[in-house]
Amino acid sequence: MTNIKNVYDEVQVFFEELEWNSAIKREWIEGFLRQKAWQGADDQVLSDRWHNLQMFVSYLSYSGDITLNELTAVEYSLAVEWMIVQTEEFKPNIKMVNHLFDVLREFYDYLATKKIHLDTTELEQAAAFMTGGKQLKFIEPGDEESLLPKEASLTTIPKDIGSIVGEAVERLMHKFSSYFQRENFIDDFDRALSLYLGPLGQMPDNENDDEFWLGFWDYFLFDYHLLANDRTPITQFESDCSKQLNDEEQKILKELMGAKFTVFYVESVVNQEWVDCINLLTDEKIRLPNPNYNYKLVKKLLFYGHVFLQQEEHELVMINFITSVEISSNLRRRIKEEINRQKAMLELQQPGVTWGDFIERHANAVRHTIDLLATWARVNVTSYAQMERNFPQPVTDEKNVNMAVTKSIATYMPQFGYSLHDTVLAQKMWQDFSRITTVNVRKPAVWAAAVIQVYSRINNGEADMPINVLVEEMKVGKSSISTSSNRLFDVLKLEKYDPRYLSEEGMISLLYDLQ
């Protein structure tokens, strides 16, 4: 009976930690497990039944206020998709999904003996549709009437942008949300929110503000770079989850992955359906759906957001979330000048950088630049001084670089919360330093700690990585770090917000620093 008690303990702990009211009561599950035990079920069977019910209860809590009788076949399908994303052991195959439905049938039968009668029609329809063929299928919006298996085919993207946002993208967003609520993305979510808000960190008065969260998710999916591998979240999602999507969803995901952050304004109205626009940064002409604004107003607006190429018609189409701000033509010119200066700063770090490269790395800085100049009435946000400096150059690229220091930087920076991109920039700093001067490395951790501290000071104004933390974690002396840090500053002629090693966080801090 010890293991049986453990199952009950698991049930108790789960419901005590559940943050939302559940449509399924704890006593129902406990009663169901007791009945199975009296019928001769062994410990393994009881654990299996609880595991499946636990996933189902978790989904119901995630999806919001909903009763069991309100569950449709589509909702059961969404529940299965959510479980596949959230639970590594729950595989997308017919056998596992069939077993889940069998457990739900057993549970519903038990509830019926307690005078809690549920209509199982939707459950049976979902089971028949999803597991009735040779491969697992999911229920699409619009399939509710027939709920018959359909032949796999590549469905074309709806021509109407409203249909894309209202149906296909909304469905994918549900899956994005489920995937990125995993525990291993918590640090990324917090970092992305901090970058999106900027140093002032002003959340909207209403924390449920739909417009704010739409804008944030638009940034997070398309422009944010993950700590571990520098990928955008939508790229990571495609890598991990594309095989779990149906043909239509895979095609739409591919289209979305081609989305590009663009700043543009309307040059002329072609007709009721289309307007000709100018890309503010590249002067490229693009044709977009008519926003149907007053013509005099639309000529004063600057738009920014993501556009993507609809392959069938080779037209650029707005998606998801486009922001507009009313500005004068002079302010539009100044915004362009500021962003041009930021691109020039990136070119010092990454010679030959294109506009595509700049936007891929610093789309968020562009958002903040427009907001600061248009809303906060700043004269400028990008330092002129950094562009006028003469930087020391390595004598030769062939000079040896101490790889033990390079590896130590790569080992410790992620532990301190830095991204892969941060690590690469810090290693570049060490490489440049090593090729300008002769370095006698007796303890690699000392130089690695100095590089990390200097990198932190450059990108945050003052060291947000306290030297005491470096001393404790890297087992090096405080005076040794200080001496090495001073030498790095002197040899490389480093300054705050040095463009050679400026991170995404550093760029945003620069914009808000009133020089």
Side-chain angles (χ1 to χ4, degrees), residues 186-410:
I186 291 176
D187 289 342
D188 276 301
F189 188 89
D190 290 342
R191 175 173 174 255
L193 188 59
S194 176
L195 285 168
Y196 186 70
L197 290 171
L200 301 180
Q202 292 182 325
M203 286 286 291
D205 294 335
N206 178 9
E207 291 192 3
N208 295 318
D209 187 315
D210 288 342
E211 184 174 354
F212 170 82
W213 289 110
L214 278 172
F216 169 75
W217 275 102
D218 179 71
Y219 157 67
F220 179 76
L221 288 173
F222 295 101
D223 299 322
Y224 175 73
H225 298 97
L226 294 169
L227 288 162
N229 54 28
D230 205 41
R231 292 177 176 176
T232 59
I234 195 170
T235 302
Q236 187 66 46
F237 177 86
E238 191 275 339
S239 175
D240 291 347
C241 303
S242 63
K243 292 181 180 179
Q244 300 166 17
L245 305 177
N246 62 35
D247 292 335
E248 181 184 19
E249 290 167 341
Q250 287 186 21
K251 174 163 180 154
I252 295 170
L253 178 61
K254 183 178 179 181
E255 298 280 354
L256 294 180
M257 288 181 66
K260 303 297 181 184
F261 183 83
T262 309
V263 184
F264 58 95
Y265 58 93
V266 174
E267 181 185 46
S268 62
V269 177
V270 178
N271 51 42
Q272 291 184 339
E273 295 185 0
W274 298 98
V275 291
D276 279 339
C277 304
I278 302 294
N279 183 318
L280 178 69
L281 306 181
T282 66
D283 294 325
E284 174 191 7
K285 287 192 175 184
I286 53 179
R287 179 162 292 185
L288 295 171
N290 193 333
N292 293 318
Y293 290 172
N294 177 279
Y295 179 70
K296 290 184 178 180
L297 172 62
V298 80
K299 292 282 285 184
K300 298 177 181 178
L301 296 177
L302 183 67
F303 298 87
Y304 55 97
H306 289 93
V307 298
F308 79 108
L309 183 65
Q310 188 169 337
Q311 294 179 352
E312 289 183 1
E313 297 186 357
H314 300 283
E315 296 283 0
L316 287 169
V317 181
M318 288 184 288
I319 62 168
N320 200 32
F321 191 80
I322 297 289
T323 301
S324 64
V325 58
E326 185 175 349
I327 60 172
S328 66
S329 57
N330 284 337
L331 181 53
R332 187 171 71 199
R333 175 181 51 79
R334 282 178 46 216
I335 289 173
K336 182 175 181 177
E337 290 173 353
E338 292 285 337
I339 300 174
N340 265 298
R341 194 172 300 118
Q342 292 164 18
K343 176 178 177 287
M345 291 177 69
L346 182 61
E347 191 155 8
L348 291 171
Q349 181 184 117
Q350 186 180 331
V353 67
T354 65
W355 273 114
D357 297 329
F358 172 77
I359 290 297
E360 193 278 331
R361 178 58 59 189
H362 287 302
N364 192 43
V366 174
R367 287 184 178 89
H368 283 284
T369 299
I370 295 171
D371 185 54
L372 283 167
L373 291 176
T375 306
W376 293 75
R378 290 275 297 277
V379 175
N380 66 280
V381 295
T382 314
S383 172
Y384 289 86
Q386 295 286 6
M387 305 307 303
E388 299 169 353
R389 295 173 56 202
N390 291 318
F391 299 102
Q393 299 296 321
V395 176
T396 173
D397 288 341
E398 298 177 359
K399 191 173 179 181
N400 289 334
V401 176
N402 189 293
M403 294 307 295
V405 177
T406 301
K407 291 178 181 178
S408 186
I409 293 169

